[in-house]
Amino acid sequence: MIISMKPEATTEQIEHVCEKIRSYGYIPHPIYGETRTVIGAVGSGNNRAALQALEGAPGVESVVAIRQPFKLVGRELKPQKSTIRVGEVVLGSHQFVVIAGPCSVESREQIVATARAVRAAGATILRGGAYKPRTSPYDFQGLEEEGLKLLAEARETTGMRVCTEVMTPEQVELVERYTDILQVGARNMQNFALLKRLGKAAKPVLLKRGLSATIKEFLMSAEYIVSQGNPQVILCERGIRTFETMTRNTLDIAAVPLLNEISHLPVVVDPSHATGKRSLVAPMAKAAVAAGADGLIVEVHPNPEEAWSDGAQSLTFQEFELVMEGVKKYLPLEQKHL
Ligand code: PEP
Ligand code: MN
């Protein structure tokens, strides 16, 4: 339910309503707007009639139901777009945020050289996996803590913020110590134990859409994190599995404006995993800008031919520079800048 307070409602009246909501078995989520406060009453309580009756409480203007199942991440409760700050960078603003780097952290030279190159081309956040969710158990699984240390070194030498994947609830504490953004991979989008644990984390979470997840399922996963207390979730469209075999996945470009319509969370696009093909990254990056994305996450490697994972979709430094040049031309059309 959404309890809208009158513009002149006092702090005591707002606190009183929150207290009532708690007493009915729901959790109050107040959102303090410029002119009024609205309070979302969310949870598994079954006393909707009591919530409805709050219409008569002092300072309350109206009580209406939230129709969508994603209560906290939807626009019904919070119509204005959310912004998420990562150092100097603000996702969900006019700033277009580019996260770039290798699929996996492989060595000091590899990660530092990539960080320097992508930063020079306009990226502000460095990506690199230290824990890799691989389809085959015989494939490279990541450098683990050693990889996190190398990422931290690259962060130190270049000043870039970093984004890296976390695969289990047990890893969160360690990964959080080294990274600025905690990435949830597509294969873990419905790892509910992980999502709940990330809801207790203090850092933003980049949540990737599952391989076969509907938009509703995607947003329900975001709801898991936000409902546990962490409002900093970035949605990532990274392609979904379809009947098409010429691309690794099918980029659901319509998901971007749709997510923007129904959710207030920032949305980024991953044209690398969405296509699996180096040549398709540039056009899909431009499509992401046109569709209203808040940023990109792109795989870049000093020598893609020798990459330990995802070489076919990774860009050379020069190719990444060209992608950025293309993107920069499109940004002003969408009132965005790097
Ligand atoms: C990755 O970012 O390298 C990755 C494994 O992506 P996804 O989870 O989208 O497949
Ligand atoms: Mn990858």
Side-chain angles (χ1 to χ4, degrees):
M1 299 288 239
I2 303 170
I3 294 115
S4 298
M5 303 301 293
K6 291 179 179 160
E8 68 274 16
T10 64
T11 315
E12 289 72 33
Q13 288 169 337
I14 294 168
E15 196 30 60
H16 173 74
V17 170
C18 288
E19 202 40 62
K20 283 282 179 200
I21 292 170
R22 275 184 218 107
S23 75
Y24 301 147
Y26 296 86
I27 298 163
H29 294 265
I31 297 168
Y32 304 98
E34 263 168 41
T35 52
R36 67 177 71 240
T37 297
V38 298
I39 307 167
V42 177
S44 37
N46 57 357
N47 206 348
R48 286 167 62 100
L51 288 179
Q52 195 65 55
L54 283 174
E55 215 148 25
V60 173
E61 186 158 273
S62 65
V63 179
V64 295
I66 305 177
R67 282 157 305 160
Q68 298 284 18
F70 37 89
K71 312 284 180 197
L72 300 173
V73 306
R75 292 254 191 190
E76 285 176 85
L77 176 62
K78 185 173 183 289
Q80 64 279 41
K81 180 107 182 169
S82 284
T83 53
I84 296 177
R85 176 175 283 280
V86 184
E88 303 293 294
V89 175
V90 183
L91 281 131
S93 67
H94 288 288
Q95 200 171 5
F96 189 78
V97 179
V98 180
I99 306 169
C103 179
S104 305
V105 180
E106 298 168 9
S107 67
R108 174 173 296 114
E109 296 67 38
Q110 176 242 22
I111 194 69
V112 172
T114 309
R116 290 212 169 99
V118 298
R119 193 179 72 147
T124 42
I125 300 176
L126 175 68
R127 64 149 287 150
Y131 295 92
K132 296 303 300 176
R134 304 306 300 279
T135 302
S136 166
Y138 308 116
D139 285 340
F140 174 58
Q141 303 286 308
L143 293 181
E144 304 184 336
E145 191 170 1
E146 183 52 27
L148 296 175
K149 287 186 178 153
L150 295 176
L151 268 177
E153 255 186 71
R155 181 180 190 274
E156 201 69 4
T157 44
T158 61
M160 288 184 93
R161 300 287 167 151
V162 302
C163 170
T164 198
E165 179 157 355
V166 57
M167 286 170 52
T168 68
E170 296 73 32
Q171 283 167 3
V172 174
E173 198 187 329
L174 177 73
V175 178
E176 202 180 5
R177 263 188 258 147
Y178 290 96
T179 196
D180 299 287
I181 301 178
L182 294 149
Q183 177 177 328
V184 177
R187 289 154 193 81
N188 268 321
M189 189 205 82
Q190 286 189 316
N191 178 343
F192 299 116
L194 176 62
L195 300 178
K196 283 185 186 173
R197 175 63 185 82
L198 289 168
K200 303 289 178 209
K203 302 246 168 97
V205 177
L206 183 125
L207 177 66
K208 291 189 135 194
R209 182 177 180 183
L211 273 71
S212 306
T214 64
I215 302 266
K216 194 189 271 183
E217 287 162 345
F218 188 21
L219 289 173
M220 292 313 287
S221 289
E223 187 83 8
Y224 260 91
I225 302 170
V226 177
S227 65
Q228 294 294 314
N230 184 356
Q232 304 186 87
V233 178
I234 303 151
L235 301 170
C236 177
E237 163 58 42
R238 47 77 73 204
I240 47 176
R241 184 162 286 185
T242 67
F243 52 82
E244 182 53 67
T245 54
M246 301 260 280
T247 48
R248 183 175 177 181
N249 291 290
T250 297
L251 177 59
D252 182 7
I253 198 74
V256 178
L258 179 56
L259 287 167
N260 273 329
E261 230 174 87
I262 58 182
S263 171
H264 52 81
L265 298 175
V267 181
V268 303
V269 168
D270 176 345
S272 308
H273 292 88
T275 62
K277 262 178 109 132
R278 193 172 302 133
S279 63
L280 301 181
V281 172
M284 292 305 97
K286 289 186 276 195
V289 177
D294 296 295
L296 293 172
I297 175 164
V298 182
E299 286 186 342
V300 181
H301 193 282
N303 185 1
E305 262 179 57
E306 286 177 14
W308 296 0
S309 57
D310 286 352
Q313 67 195 33
S314 298
L315 306 178
T316 61
F317 297 166
Q318 202 183 4
E319 285 164 342
F320 180 67
E321 232 180 275
L322 289 174
V323 167
M324 292 300 284
E325 270 170 34
V327 162
K328 277 184 227 167
K329 286 192 199 132
Y330 281 71
L331 291 178
L333 299 174
E334 297 296 324
Q335 289 82 50
K336 292 218 166 77
H337 55 79
L338 281 183

